[in-house]
Amino acid sequence: MTADTIEPEEHAAGPAERRREQRGWYFYDFACSVYSTSVLTVFLGPYLTSVARAAADAEGFVHPLGVPVRAGSLFAYAVSASIVVAVLVMPLVGAVADRTGRKKPLLAASAYLGAAATTGMFFLAGEHYLLGAFLLIVANASLSVSMVLYNAYLPQIAEPDERDAVSSRGWAFGYTSGALVLVLNLVLYSGHDSFGLTEGEAVRVCLASAGLWWGAFTLVPLRRLRDRGVRPEGSGRSGEGAVGSGWSQLRATLKDMRRHPLTLSFLLAYLIYNDGVQTVISQASIYGSEELGLDQTTLITAVLLVQVLAVAGALGMGRLARSYGAKRTILGSLAVWTLILAAGYFLPAGSPVFFYCLAAAIGLVLGGSQALSRSLFSHLVPRGKEAEYFSAYEMSDRGLSWLGPLVFGLAYQLTGSYRDAIISLVIFFAVGFALLARVPVRRAVEAAGNPIPERI
C-alpha cells in the first residue's frame, strides 16, 4: 500500500468530501441498475425462453449436460445457478477487500466482467440457449460481487443519521437510469421495423446496450470513491496472503458474526423476505408474457412505470423512515408486498390495465424496502469489517436468493402454471415480516459498537 493510493482509516472526511464521494457512489446504482431492469426484468427472460423453445424437443424440453429441463424453466434455473456461483465468490472478495483496503480495483474488475458478459448477449440468437444461460450466470454473479463492494462503502461515506437518505438516493438514481434506458428500449423495440431491425435483433441491441451503459457510467464512482487503509488488526497480510487465506477468513467472519446474534437475526429475516422480492423482480416478465399473455410492449411500459414510481417510492419511504424509523417502514412495505402477490394470483389474462395497477403498487414499495434494508444493516456492522459483513448481506440480497427462482421454476415444471408459482412467494414475505418484527434494532446497533440514530 502507498500513501497516494490508500488513505488511512483515521482520516476524517469533511462534509464537502463526503458529499463528493456520495455523489460518485450514487452513480454505480445509475450504472448497474440498467442490467437489473432491461436485462433481468424485461428482455432476457422471454427472449432466452424463446431461444430455448427453438432448441427444445417435441415435448418442450432442452437437455443441458443431458439433464431434461422444460424450456420455460431454463431462465429461472439459470438465475438460481448464477446466485450459487456468487455465494462461492462473494465472501472471498469481501474478505480480501477488508484485509487489503482495496475495494476499488475489485469493484472495477467485477463491474467490467459483468458489463462485458451483458454486452456479449448481442450474439445470443438461433438455438444457442446454452450461451445465453452462461452469459446470464456470469453477468448476474458479477453484479452480486460488485454490490458487496459498493454497499460496503456506505458506512464509510455517510454518517449514521445520513444513511437512510443516502441509501434511498442511491436507489433513486438507479431507478432513474432504469426508466431512462427503458424509454429508449421502448422506442427501439416498438419501431424496430423503421430502424431496419427484426424483433429479435432489437432485443439483442437492448441487451447489449445495457452492458455498454453499465461499463461507461462505472467510471464515475471509480474516479470519486477512495480506498481507505485497514485497521492494524486487519492489515497483517498482503493482498496475495488474503487471497490465499480467503476461506479461512470466511470461517473467521462467520465465527465473528456469531458474536453479534442480533445482526444475524436481521440477516435471517432479510434473507427470507428479500428472496421473495428478488424472485418477483426476475420472474415478472415471464409471468406477464407466458401466463397473462401480454405483449413485450406492455411489459416494457409496465416496468417503466415501476421505475418511475420507484424513484418516488424510495425517496418517500426514506422520509417515512425519518418519522417512524426504518424498521417500521420496512414492515409496512412487506405487508403491501403480500397484498400485491395475492392480487397478482387473481389477475385476469390479457388485461394490461390491471397489470399496470399491479406494477404501480410494486414501484411504490420496491425501492424503499430495498434502500432502507441496506441502510438499516449498515448500522449493525462492526467498524472495519464492512466488506466482509456486506458480503454476508449481499448473499442474503442476491447470493442466497436462489431458493425463490428455484421454487418458481420447479412449480412451473411440475404444474405448468405460473400462477401456482407466483402465489407460493407469499410465504417469503409473511415469514420475513414475523422474523424482522422480533429484531430489537436499537440493541443490535449498540451491540455492534455503533452510535444509535435518533430514529431507526
Side-chain angles (χ1 to χ4, degrees):
M1 288 181 283
T2 60
D4 60 335
T5 56
I6 298 182
E7 297 192 30
E9 177 68 34
E10 57 270 15
H11 173 76
E17 187 175 352
R18 280 205 316 275
R19 285 194 296 272
R20 183 178 187 277
E21 281 198 274
Q22 287 168 7
R23 287 192 291 268
W25 186 80
Y26 299 149
F27 266 93
Y28 191 68
D29 254 322
F30 191 84
C32 70
S33 292
V34 172
Y35 166 83
S36 299
T37 303
S38 291
V39 177
L40 199 62
T41 302
V42 176
F43 286 108
L44 189 57
Y47 186 68
L48 182 57
T49 300
S50 70
V51 171
R53 284 186 171 144
D57 60 22
E59 296 179 349
F61 286 83
V62 290
H63 300 269
L65 304 177
V67 179
V69 173
R70 192 185 291 271
S73 296
L74 178 71
F75 176 69
Y77 289 158
V79 171
S80 186
S82 72
I83 294 168
V84 172
V85 172
V87 166
L88 299 176
V89 178
M90 287 190 298
L92 302 180
V93 171
V96 171
D98 279 337
R99 292 173 73 95
T100 65
R102 295 181 180 272
K103 296 184 184 72
K104 196 155 65 170
L106 295 169
L107 175 62
S110 55
Y112 283 108
L113 177 60
T118 305
T119 305
M121 292 176 186
F122 178 80
F123 301 102
L124 176 59
E127 299 180 359
H128 300 305
Y129 70 93
L130 283 177
L131 173 63
F134 172 75
L135 292 174
L136 167 59
I137 290 169
V138 173
N140 220 36
S142 297
L143 177 65
S144 296
V145 171
S146 71
M147 292 302 292
V148 169
L149 303 153
Y150 168 68
N151 288 336
Y153 274 103
L154 180 58
Q156 297 177 333
I157 65 172
E159 296 296 317
D161 289 329
E162 297 178 305
R163 290 180 197 166
D164 287 345
V166 170
S167 183
S168 296
R169 289 188 201 114
W171 282 105
F173 262 63
Y175 288 118
T176 300
S177 73
L180 174 61
V181 173
L182 269 183
V183 170
L184 300 176
N185 290 160
L186 182 60
V187 170
L188 178 64
Y189 181 82
S190 301
H192 59 82
D193 286 334
S194 61
F195 290 103
L197 300 172
T198 66
E199 183 177 322
E201 287 170 343
V203 170
R204 288 159 49 202
V205 169
C206 292
L207 293 172
S209 64
L212 295 175
W213 181 284
W214 184 358
F217 284 100
T218 295
L219 292 172
V220 179
L222 292 180
R223 287 181 61 86
R224 293 201 172 187
L225 293 172
R226 60 184 177 87
D227 281 331
R228 276 105 171 139
V230 295
R231 304 176 82 185
E233 62 269 27
S235 57
R237 296 178 187 269
S238 66
E240 182 180 354
V243 173
S245 62
W247 287 108
S248 297
Q249 181 62 50
L250 172 59
R251 288 193 294 270
T253 300
L254 295 176
K255 183 178 180 180
D256 183 75
M257 291 189 75
R258 290 202 296 269
R259 297 171 48 237
H260 301 282
L262 297 179
T263 301
L264 280 175
S265 296
F266 172 81
L267 271 180
L268 177 61
Y270 182 68
L271 183 157
I272 300 298
Y273 71 74
N274 189 66
D275 205 344
V277 172
Q278 295 300 323
T279 306
V280 171
I281 292 171
S282 66
Q283 306 303 318
S285 60
I286 287 285
Y287 185 71
S289 63
E290 301 297 324
E291 185 67 36
L292 303 181
L294 302 175
D295 59 34
Q296 191 73 53
T297 300
T298 299
L299 296 176
I300 297 172
T301 308
V303 175
L304 178 59
L305 179 63
V306 169
Q307 299 301 300
V308 172
L309 291 178
V311 175
L315 297 176
M317 287 181 64
R319 294 190 181 95
L320 286 175
R322 288 201 294 270
S323 300
Y324 301 102
K327 176 183 172 180
R328 289 183 180 178
T329 308
I330 294 169
L331 288 173
S333 75
L334 297 183
V336 175
W337 272 110
T338 302
L339 295 175
I340 286 170
L341 287 179
Y345 177 79
F346 295 104
L347 208 63
S351 299
V353 173
F354 288 107
F355 192 70
Y356 289 145
C357 291
L358 204 64
I362 289 173
L364 290 174
V365 295
L366 175 61
S369 59
Q370 293 177 315
L372 293 178
S373 295
R374 177 171 63 186
S375 62
L376 179 55
F377 182 71
S378 74
H379 294 286
L380 312 182
V381 178
R383 188 183 177 201
K385 298 181 178 180
E386 291 86 2
E388 290 179 40
Y389 273 63
F390 266 106
S391 71
Y393 174 86
E394 193 66 21
M395 286 171 67
S396 300
D397 187 3
R398 301 175 194 272
L400 290 184
S401 294
W402 54 268
L403 182 60
L406 180 62
V407 169
F408 194 93
L410 285 173
Y412 177 75
Q413 178 138 345
L414 294 173
T415 68
S417 170
Y418 285 109
R419 292 185 188 272
D420 293 335
I422 202 73
I423 197 61
S424 69
L425 302 180
V426 169
I427 191 66
F428 291 98
F429 294 102
V431 173
F433 182 100
L435 292 175
L436 178 59
R438 295 172 58 87
V439 178
V441 291
R442 287 189 171 272
R443 280 203 289 127
V445 174
E446 185 178 16
N450 294 321
I452 302 175
E454 183 179 349
R455 292 283 186 181
I456 191 169

